[in-house]
Amino acid sequence: MSGDPQPETIPAATVVIFRNDPAGGPPQLLMVTRSRNMSFAGGMAVFPGGRIDPADRELAARIAPQFDEIQGAAMIAAMRETLEETGLVIAVKEAVSAAEAADARAMLLETVALAPVLEHFGWTLDLSRLVYFARWWPRFRHERSFDTHFYLYDIGTGAVDIAVDATENTRLFWTSAADALAAADRGEMAVIFPTRRNLERLATFADFGAAKAHAEATPVRTITPKIEDREGGRVLTIPGDLGYPVTEEEISSAMRG
């Protein structure tokens, strides 16, 4: 009914971090396994990210006015959540040592805001290195839904220190998109519907440059999966013109968080 309360929408951001495979194979992506205690996607493997906080919006308005309000805030949230969850400092102009990154993460966990961390270490944001990839707004849940902006980022050689944030996540690992899909098919890890679709898309790229070029040539429109009744059963579908090689999955197998 039109008078029923609508689910809360939570703006969020996530970042797909690329590195070169040390063994010379396809590019590797950084993923985290969420704690089973988390209400959303508990136990699932996802990309680093989380909700956009008011402090992210305030910082974006002050130092990134060239972007619209939500885009600037989403990129800052992606950077902040990456530091918090993995220990990686991304999208800054300055070179960052492993010791500085560890100290910055500890400070972020205390202040719960990125602005004082940037000021303390004298870092300058370079948000242009974050490539806008997709926007997903699934509305499966009755109590709340996440409107998530996806970005791509490349760290090149991958000679970095990472450590899992044990408060929300239980594992932090590098994997190619194809290997992640194979592990999910074997039942070794679980991925929700948006993550699987993005892994399938990412698996088509030979390197970060190809992914970046494809992202820049493909329009970003908000993706809200729909349930359709087919002759063979019900399927969850997404539009077919947004760069995804697989656009539907049987509802019985689709994990929706």
Side-chain angles (χ1 to χ4, degrees), residues 219-233:
V220 174
R221 297 202 312 268
T222 304
I223 299 173
T224 299
K226 306 293 185 184
I227 297 175
E228 294 185 4
D229 292 313
R230 303 282 179 80
E231 186 175 336

Side-chain angles (χ1 to χ4, degrees), residues 13 45 137 166 183-184:
W137 187 10

Side-chain angles (χ1 to χ4, degrees), residues 1-8 142:
M1 295 176 61
S2 60
D4 292 341
Q6 296 300 305
E8 176 191 8
H142 295 298

Side-chain angles (χ1 to χ4, degrees), residues 78-245:
M79 177 190 177
R80 175 182 54 75
E81 289 282 351
T82 297
L83 177 57
E84 179 181 321
E85 293 186 346
T86 73
L88 277 180
V89 177
I90 64 171
V92 298
K93 295 180 180 179
E94 295 78 14
V96 179
S97 69
E100 286 177 317
D103 290 343
R105 185 187 200 180
M107 184 177 181
L108 176 62
L109 292 174
E110 287 184 4
T111 62
V112 200
L114 187 59
V117 176
L118 296 176
E119 182 178 357
H120 177 81
F121 289 92
W123 292 336
T124 308
L125 287 182
D126 184 5
L127 297 179
S128 65
R129 295 180 63 187
L130 289 162
V131 179
Y132 198 22
F133 186 63
R135 181 178 181 179
W136 282 72
W137 187 10
R139 305 187 202 187
F140 306 130
R141 297 162 66 88
H142 295 298
E143 70 275 19
R144 62 180 178 174
S145 62
F146 288 86
D147 179 5
T148 305
H149 300 259
F150 283 73
Y151 297 91
L152 308 179
Y153 188 85
D154 184 33
I155 63 168
T157 62
V160 294
D161 293 333
I162 56 175
V164 71
D165 165 29
T167 61
E168 296 184 358
N169 307 301
T170 59
R171 183 186 176 212
L172 186 62
F173 60 101
W174 292 100
T175 179
S176 71
D179 285 347
L181 289 166
D185 289 341
R186 293 192 300 266
E188 296 172 2
M189 71 180 199
V191 293
I192 57 177
F193 182 84
T195 304
R196 177 175 281 276
R197 300 288 82 84
N198 279 295
L199 284 169
E200 290 160 349
R201 184 179 174 188
L202 291 161
T204 66
F205 306 125
D207 52 32
F208 176 79
K212 180 176 184 289
H214 184 269
E216 292 174 341
T218 305
V220 174
R221 297 202 312 268
T222 304
I223 299 173
T224 299
K226 306 293 185 184
I227 297 175
E228 294 185 4
D229 292 313
R230 303 282 179 80
E231 186 175 336
R234 307 180 83 197
V235 297
L236 198 59
T237 71
I238 62 173
D241 59 347
L242 297 178
Y244 289 85

